Short mmCIF file of all heavy atoms in Angstrom, two decimals:
data_model
loop_
_atom_site.label_atom_id
_atom_site.label_comp_id
_atom_site.label_asym_id
_atom_site.label_seq_id
_atom_site.Cartn_x
_atom_site.Cartn_y
_atom_site.Cartn_z
N ILE G 266 74.70 4.08 167.42
CA ILE G 266 73.45 4.72 167.77
C ILE G 266 72.34 3.67 167.66
O ILE G 266 72.20 3.01 166.62
CB ILE G 266 73.11 5.90 166.85
CG1 ILE G 266 74.28 6.89 166.80
CG2 ILE G 266 71.84 6.60 167.31
CD1 ILE G 266 74.55 7.61 168.09
N SER G 267 71.57 3.51 168.70
CA SER G 267 70.45 2.57 168.69
C SER G 267 69.15 3.32 168.96
O SER G 267 69.16 4.49 169.36
CB SER G 267 70.65 1.48 169.75
OG SER G 267 70.73 2.05 171.04
N VAL G 268 68.03 2.64 168.73
CA VAL G 268 66.73 3.26 168.93
C VAL G 268 65.76 2.26 169.53
O VAL G 268 65.80 1.06 169.20
CB VAL G 268 66.17 3.82 167.60
CG1 VAL G 268 65.94 2.71 166.58
CG2 VAL G 268 64.88 4.61 167.84
N ILE G 269 64.94 2.74 170.43
CA ILE G 269 63.83 1.96 170.98
C ILE G 269 62.54 2.56 170.46
O ILE G 269 62.23 3.73 170.76
CB ILE G 269 63.83 1.99 172.52
CG1 ILE G 269 65.12 1.39 173.08
CG2 ILE G 269 62.62 1.22 173.06
CD1 ILE G 269 65.24 1.47 174.58
N PRO G 270 61.77 1.83 169.64
CA PRO G 270 60.47 2.34 169.21
C PRO G 270 59.56 2.50 170.43
O PRO G 270 59.36 1.57 171.20
CB PRO G 270 59.95 1.26 168.26
CG PRO G 270 61.19 0.53 167.81
CD PRO G 270 62.10 0.55 169.00
N ALA G 271 59.03 3.70 170.60
CA ALA G 271 58.29 4.02 171.82
C ALA G 271 56.85 4.41 171.49
O ALA G 271 56.62 5.41 170.80
CB ALA G 271 58.99 5.16 172.57
N ASN G 272 55.92 3.65 172.00
CA ASN G 272 54.50 3.96 171.87
C ASN G 272 54.04 4.57 173.18
O ASN G 272 53.51 3.88 174.06
CB ASN G 272 53.71 2.70 171.53
CG ASN G 272 52.24 2.97 171.32
OD1 ASN G 272 51.81 4.12 171.28
ND2 ASN G 272 51.45 1.93 171.18
N ILE G 273 54.27 5.86 173.36
CA ILE G 273 54.05 6.51 174.65
C ILE G 273 53.01 7.63 174.58
O ILE G 273 52.89 8.41 175.52
CB ILE G 273 55.38 7.07 175.22
CG1 ILE G 273 56.06 8.00 174.20
CG2 ILE G 273 56.31 5.93 175.61
CD1 ILE G 273 57.35 8.65 174.72
N GLY G 274 52.26 7.69 173.49
CA GLY G 274 51.26 8.76 173.36
C GLY G 274 51.90 10.12 173.32
O GLY G 274 51.51 11.03 174.07
N TRP G 275 52.86 10.29 172.43
CA TRP G 275 53.74 11.46 172.41
C TRP G 275 53.27 12.51 171.42
O TRP G 275 52.76 12.22 170.34
CB TRP G 275 55.15 11.01 172.04
CG TRP G 275 56.15 12.09 171.78
CD1 TRP G 275 57.00 12.65 172.69
CD2 TRP G 275 56.46 12.72 170.52
NE1 TRP G 275 57.81 13.58 172.08
CE2 TRP G 275 57.50 13.64 170.75
CE3 TRP G 275 55.95 12.58 169.23
CZ2 TRP G 275 58.03 14.43 169.74
CZ3 TRP G 275 56.49 13.36 168.22
CH2 TRP G 275 57.52 14.27 168.49
N SER G 276 53.49 13.76 171.79
CA SER G 276 53.37 14.88 170.86
C SER G 276 54.31 15.98 171.32
O SER G 276 54.45 16.21 172.52
CB SER G 276 51.94 15.43 170.81
OG SER G 276 51.89 16.61 170.01
N ASP G 277 54.96 16.63 170.37
CA ASP G 277 55.83 17.75 170.75
C ASP G 277 55.04 19.05 170.87
O ASP G 277 55.60 20.09 171.19
CB ASP G 277 56.98 17.92 169.76
CG ASP G 277 56.53 18.42 168.39
OD1 ASP G 277 55.32 18.36 168.10
OD2 ASP G 277 57.40 18.86 167.61
N ILE G 278 53.72 18.99 170.64
CA ILE G 278 52.86 20.19 170.70
C ILE G 278 53.53 21.32 169.94
O ILE G 278 53.75 22.42 170.46
CB ILE G 278 52.54 20.60 172.16
CG1 ILE G 278 52.17 19.39 172.99
CG2 ILE G 278 51.39 21.61 172.17
CD1 ILE G 278 50.92 18.68 172.57
N GLY G 279 53.86 21.03 168.68
CA GLY G 279 54.61 21.98 167.89
C GLY G 279 53.77 23.02 167.17
O GLY G 279 54.31 23.84 166.43
N SER G 280 52.47 23.00 167.39
CA SER G 280 51.59 23.98 166.76
C SER G 280 50.25 23.97 167.49
O SER G 280 49.94 23.06 168.26
CB SER G 280 51.37 23.65 165.28
OG SER G 280 50.63 22.44 165.16
N TRP G 281 49.43 24.97 167.21
CA TRP G 281 48.09 25.00 167.80
C TRP G 281 47.23 23.87 167.26
O TRP G 281 46.37 23.35 167.97
CB TRP G 281 47.44 26.35 167.55
CG TRP G 281 48.02 27.44 168.39
CD1 TRP G 281 48.78 28.50 167.98
CD2 TRP G 281 47.91 27.56 169.81
NE1 TRP G 281 49.16 29.27 169.05
CE2 TRP G 281 48.63 28.72 170.20
CE3 TRP G 281 47.28 26.82 170.80
CZ2 TRP G 281 48.73 29.13 171.52
CZ3 TRP G 281 47.38 27.22 172.13
CH2 TRP G 281 48.09 28.37 172.47
N SER G 282 47.46 23.47 166.03
CA SER G 282 46.69 22.34 165.49
C SER G 282 47.06 21.05 166.21
O SER G 282 46.20 20.19 166.43
CB SER G 282 46.94 22.20 163.98
OG SER G 282 48.32 21.99 163.71
N ALA G 283 48.35 20.90 166.61
CA ALA G 283 48.76 19.72 167.36
C ALA G 283 48.08 19.68 168.72
O ALA G 283 47.64 18.62 169.18
CB ALA G 283 50.28 19.70 167.51
N LEU G 284 47.99 20.83 169.38
CA LEU G 284 47.30 20.88 170.67
C LEU G 284 45.82 20.56 170.49
O LEU G 284 45.23 19.81 171.28
CB LEU G 284 47.46 22.26 171.31
CG LEU G 284 46.76 22.44 172.66
CD1 LEU G 284 47.32 21.48 173.70
CD2 LEU G 284 46.87 23.88 173.15
N LYS G 285 45.21 21.10 169.46
CA LYS G 285 43.80 20.82 169.17
C LYS G 285 43.58 19.32 168.98
O LYS G 285 42.63 18.75 169.51
CB LYS G 285 43.37 21.59 167.93
CG LYS G 285 41.96 21.28 167.44
CD LYS G 285 41.64 22.12 166.21
CE LYS G 285 40.32 21.72 165.57
NZ LYS G 285 40.35 20.36 164.99
N ASP G 286 44.49 18.68 168.25
CA ASP G 286 44.36 17.24 168.02
C ASP G 286 44.46 16.44 169.32
O ASP G 286 43.80 15.40 169.47
CB ASP G 286 45.44 16.75 167.05
CG ASP G 286 45.22 17.25 165.63
OD1 ASP G 286 44.09 17.68 165.33
OD2 ASP G 286 46.18 17.24 164.84
N MET G 287 45.29 16.92 170.26
CA MET G 287 45.43 16.22 171.53
C MET G 287 44.19 16.38 172.40
O MET G 287 43.87 15.50 173.20
CB MET G 287 46.64 16.77 172.30
CG MET G 287 47.97 16.57 171.60
SD MET G 287 48.36 14.82 171.32
CE MET G 287 48.40 14.20 172.99
N LEU G 288 43.47 17.47 172.25
CA LEU G 288 42.35 17.77 173.13
C LEU G 288 41.01 17.28 172.59
O LEU G 288 40.09 17.02 173.37
CB LEU G 288 42.26 19.28 173.37
CG LEU G 288 43.43 19.93 174.12
CD1 LEU G 288 43.29 21.44 174.09
CD2 LEU G 288 43.49 19.43 175.55
N GLN G 289 40.89 17.15 171.26
CA GLN G 289 39.59 16.87 170.68
C GLN G 289 39.42 15.41 170.28
O GLN G 289 40.40 14.71 169.99
CB GLN G 289 39.34 17.78 169.47
CG GLN G 289 39.24 19.25 169.87
CD GLN G 289 38.80 20.14 168.74
OE1 GLN G 289 38.62 19.71 167.61
NE2 GLN G 289 38.58 21.42 169.05
N THR G 290 38.18 14.96 170.28
CA THR G 290 37.81 13.62 169.85
C THR G 290 36.71 13.73 168.82
O THR G 290 36.27 14.82 168.46
CB THR G 290 37.32 12.78 171.05
OG1 THR G 290 36.10 13.38 171.54
CG2 THR G 290 38.35 12.74 172.17
N ASP G 291 36.23 12.58 168.36
CA ASP G 291 35.11 12.59 167.40
C ASP G 291 33.86 13.18 168.03
O ASP G 291 33.02 13.78 167.35
CB ASP G 291 34.82 11.17 166.91
CG ASP G 291 35.93 10.63 166.02
OD1 ASP G 291 36.69 11.45 165.47
OD2 ASP G 291 36.04 9.40 165.90
N GLU G 292 33.75 13.02 169.38
CA GLU G 292 32.57 13.51 170.07
C GLU G 292 32.72 14.96 170.51
O GLU G 292 31.74 15.70 170.59
CB GLU G 292 32.28 12.65 171.30
CG GLU G 292 31.85 11.21 170.99
CD GLU G 292 33.03 10.33 170.60
OE1 GLU G 292 34.16 10.64 171.03
OE2 GLU G 292 32.82 9.36 169.86
N ILE G 293 33.95 15.36 170.81
CA ILE G 293 34.19 16.72 171.30
C ILE G 293 34.99 17.48 170.24
O ILE G 293 36.18 17.25 170.05
CB ILE G 293 34.97 16.70 172.62
CG1 ILE G 293 34.19 15.89 173.67
CG2 ILE G 293 35.22 18.11 173.13
CD1 ILE G 293 34.95 15.68 174.96
N THR G 294 34.35 18.38 169.53
CA THR G 294 35.01 19.10 168.44
C THR G 294 35.09 20.61 168.69
O THR G 294 35.61 21.33 167.85
CB THR G 294 34.30 18.85 167.10
OG1 THR G 294 32.95 19.33 167.19
CG2 THR G 294 34.28 17.36 166.77
N VAL G 295 34.57 21.07 169.81
CA VAL G 295 34.71 22.46 170.21
C VAL G 295 35.40 22.46 171.57
O VAL G 295 34.86 21.95 172.54
CB VAL G 295 33.35 23.18 170.31
CG1 VAL G 295 33.53 24.59 170.85
CG2 VAL G 295 32.68 23.22 168.94
N THR G 296 36.61 23.01 171.63
CA THR G 296 37.41 22.92 172.85
C THR G 296 37.79 24.31 173.34
O THR G 296 38.22 25.16 172.55
CB THR G 296 38.71 22.11 172.61
OG1 THR G 296 38.36 20.84 172.09
CG2 THR G 296 39.47 21.92 173.91
N HIS G 297 37.65 24.50 174.65
CA HIS G 297 38.10 25.74 175.27
C HIS G 297 39.05 25.40 176.40
O HIS G 297 38.79 24.52 177.22
CB HIS G 297 36.93 26.55 175.82
CG HIS G 297 37.37 27.67 176.70
ND1 HIS G 297 37.12 27.69 178.06
CD2 HIS G 297 38.07 28.80 176.44
CE1 HIS G 297 37.64 28.78 178.59
NE2 HIS G 297 38.22 29.47 177.62
N LYS G 298 40.19 26.08 176.45
CA LYS G 298 41.15 25.94 177.55
C LYS G 298 41.42 27.32 178.14
O LYS G 298 41.58 28.29 177.40
CB LYS G 298 42.45 25.30 177.06
CG LYS G 298 42.38 23.79 176.92
CD LYS G 298 42.21 23.11 178.27
CE LYS G 298 42.03 21.62 178.14
NZ LYS G 298 41.80 20.97 179.45
N GLY G 299 41.50 27.36 179.44
CA GLY G 299 41.77 28.63 180.10
C GLY G 299 40.65 29.02 181.05
O GLY G 299 39.68 28.27 181.25
N SER G 300 40.76 30.22 181.61
CA SER G 300 39.82 30.66 182.63
C SER G 300 38.74 31.60 182.10
O SER G 300 37.85 32.00 182.85
CB SER G 300 40.60 31.36 183.76
OG SER G 300 41.44 32.38 183.24
#
Side-chain angles (χ1 to χ4, degrees):
I266 307 293
S267 61
V268 62
I269 299 176
N272 182 8
I273 55 177
W275 172 91
S276 173
D277 70 344
I278 315 296
S280 67
W281 287 111
S282 59
L284 179 63
K285 174 180 173 293
D286 290 342
M287 297 300 299
L288 295 171
Q289 294 189 355
T290 65
D291 291 339
E292 293 78 26
I293 302 174
T294 61
V295 175
T296 305
H297 168 248
K298 280 293 175 182
S300 53

